[in-house]
Amino acid sequence: MAHDIDEIIKALNGARHEWRLPVVSEIAEKKRDPFRILISTIISLRTKDDVTRDATIRLFEHAETPAEMMKLDNETIEKAIFPAGFYRNKAKTIIDVCKTLVEQYKGIVPDDIDELLKLKGVGRKTANLVVTVGYEKPGICVDTHVHRISNRFGYVKTKTPNDTEFALRKKLPEKYWIEYNDLLVAFGQHVCKPISPLCSQCPVHDHCHRVGVKIHR
């Protein structure tokens, strides 16, 4: 399967114009601001892209920097990001993250995964996304789409997204690291869906082992 990855990436890039970019990447295209990307990623957890997009816009109308954001009260942030999932907890996390950025990082979002992981509420997915999309540095962001599809292809055999990240770090050519998340998330949202994927419309049908797929269209 390893020799097929070049063809898979080529085919997905050929079809990506038909799919909308993941919301965080869409935000980054408009303004490549690591802080905005960090906050929008926190908002995006268990939240639909359209809600995340609108919530990010509303929140950044109130404040654009960590120093400005940490001065907002919980109620203002909650109102701005509602109806994002767990919006009350996320509001507290946003304030805590901003306080840490101001007090420990001079208001600058770190460009290092290990440093980002020290921030409250930041896991490996968020850290990798900030590094790759915000700073355009090598990293592999693995969400449920990337985890599912990488295993469905037969490219890796892993049980968790974290396992998938480290398996991909060993196997996926580094030249594809940054774009891999965007491609697979968009592909997963539009074609390679969790249940009953649209295999008849799949641009990489000939390269996919369809591991675990019982029903498809």
Side-chain angles (χ1 to χ4, degrees), residues 139-177:
I140 300 179
C141 177
V142 177
D143 69 350
T144 55
H145 291 292
V146 176
H147 171 60
R148 179 183 75 253
I149 297 169
S150 296
N151 278 273
R152 186 173 282 174
F153 282 161
Y155 192 59
V156 299
K157 187 177 181 180
T158 54
K159 293 184 178 180
T160 68
N162 273 8
D163 291 342
T164 298
E165 179 195 336
F166 290 106
L168 289 171
R169 283 180 176 272
K170 292 179 180 179
K171 191 171 186 179
L172 183 69
E174 189 169 326
K175 63 183 178 180
Y176 297 135
W177 283 19

Side-chain angles (χ1 to χ4, degrees), residues 196-210:
S196 188
L198 306 177
C199 295
S200 60
Q201 300 177 26
C202 179
V204 294
H205 182 273
D206 293 340
H207 301 289
C208 181
H209 292 182
R210 286 191 282 184

